[in-house]
Every structure is written in C-alpha cells, then in structure tokens.
Amino acid sequence: MIRTVESEQHVSAPVLAAYSYCETVTGQQARNFAYGIRLLPTPKRRAMSAVYAFSRRVDDIGDGALAPDVKAARLEDTRALLSRVRDGRVDEDDTDPVAVALAHAAEQFPIPLGGLDELIDGVLMDVRGETYETWDDLKVYCRCVAGAIGRVSLGVFGTEPGARGAERASEYADTLGLALQLTNILRDVREDAEGGRTYLPADDLAKFGCSAGFDRPIPPEGSDFAGLVHFEVRRARALFAEGYRLLPMLDRRSGACVAAMAGIYRRLLDRIEREPEAVLRGRVSLPGREKAYVAVRGLSGLDARHVSRRTVRRRV
C-alpha cells in the first residue's frame, strides 16, 4: 500500500510562490492535464503541478531548436538539478521555482523521483533521433516518457488502505501511461513527421505500406493508412483496459483525476478511429465542454465502478 499526505499543512510564502508558478505553467501549457488535476485536493494538485512543470522543462529542451549536443548538455544539467532535489539540497529561497516546488512536494509525498530520471533518458532518445523497429522497442521509449510519469503520479495519489491488488498499482499506472503516449503518437503523427521524427514501429509501417512516412496531408500512395491507425488504436485500447484497473485502488478524487485525464485521451482515440486521416491534416482535439463532461464523469466515480464490476466478474 502506498500512503500519501492528505492534510493541508503550513506552507511558507516562498514555497507557495513556487507552486503558483508551476500551476501557471500547467494551466497554460497542459490543458488536458490541468482538467484532471483540478479535481485533486490542494496539496496533491500543487504536487502534481510541480511534477508537470519539471517534466515540461525536460520536454521543452528536447523539442527546442538547439543543436543536439547542447540539448544533451541541458538535459544533464536538469538531471543534476533533480539530484539536488533528491538529496534535499534545494532551499526555499532558491531562485528556481520549479526546484523549490518539486523539493517540497517530494518531502510531502513518496514521489519516486527516479521516474523523472527515466523521463530525461527518454528525451535523450529523441535528441539522438532513435527510431523503433518493433512495438517492444517503442515500449521502452513510452515507459520512459509516459509510464514513468504514471508511476511518479502514483506517488502523489497513493492507494486506498486495503485496496485489493494494490501491489500491482505501479504496474497499472505504467500501463496507463503507455496508453496515453500511444494515443499522443497517433494524434501527432503528422507534426512529428514534419519535425523529422517517426515513432510508430517500422514493422507496423511496413505491414500497412506506410514506410514512406507522413510528410503530407494525405496517406502514402498505395498504403492502408486506416488499417495502420485501427491496428494501433486496438493496441492502445488494450493498454487502457489494463491500466484502468488502477482506478478502484485510488481515493475518490485521485481516481477522478486519473479518469478525467485518461477519459479525454480515450475520446481522442475514438475520434481518431472514426476518421483516421484527420491526424494527417492537423491536431485532433476535444472541445472544452466535452473535457468538462469527462471530468464530471470521473468525479462521479462511474469509470472506477465500471472497472470494479468488470474485475469482479473476471474473478467469478
């Protein structure tokens, strides 16, 4: 069982200012994520905003226009900052608000900070321009950049006392991260291609005649692009089904947060499945009212109860 701190404790003015900065970053740059964490109690919401702000910094280095060697050096500087956080060497008056907020969050919750090291490893894979021959190869990358964040988040959420199967909570959090990342990869296939990146496994691309890539708003000539998308959608749905088993292990508001974030991505997946070629024309997204509906559904506990009933049926 993973325990977390629920009660609001006194937080100093410098730490509150650091958290406020992180929450601003989250609200401006992570709308899907922000919809989920607003359902959390204040201490958890602040901690998750600190995790996001650090992760955003790492991602921005990888996505920026700097030369690869400069990116790699910046990422190692960020890893050194993470080591200072881990070792308790960040003071409240430190000039880096993200470090201050993350250090405080790590004091309040059992956050496995090694997951953020894995994130840096994953972004370094991007910097090196790695491609992936098989799904097993791609899973290594997805676990670094998304599965690890699921495990880090679980350190903030915790599991309910006596939750059945809680010893597998970290595994389910990791799998849910893979589902989210694969959905991201499908949504961003054109944008990534324009940036010179290909994430989908080479053997999948070859199977569906898509090895030429996605640098145009139409599928490669002679390809079965819809078949490729539907194949990857089925893979993502299987990951969601497994990862959703985490929900009954969480308290109501943490479960609502996870259900909201995952629910938004599942609906994105539905849209991509209905119109595969839309991802070649631009980024597929959900309107705000639909995201709000997903958040309310998560807060109601409908998804968690559905997973609980399905799990019980499997055992009978």
Side-chain angles (χ1 to χ4, degrees), residues 216-234:
R216 297 190 299 165
I218 58 174
E221 186 175 353
S223 69
D224 180 10
F225 180 72
L228 171 67
V229 170
H230 291 152
F231 178 80
E232 303 297 349
V233 165
R234 288 193 296 273

Side-chain angles (χ1 to χ4, degrees), residues 66-95:
L66 298 171
D69 59 335
V70 178
K71 289 182 179 183
R74 294 272 181 96
L75 288 168
E76 292 305 332
D77 289 342
T78 307
R79 197 190 300 276
L81 174 64
L82 182 60
S83 294
R84 285 208 296 128
V85 171
R86 184 185 291 110
D87 297 341
R89 293 184 287 115
V90 176
D91 297 326
E92 288 187 357
D93 59 355
D94 194 284
T95 57

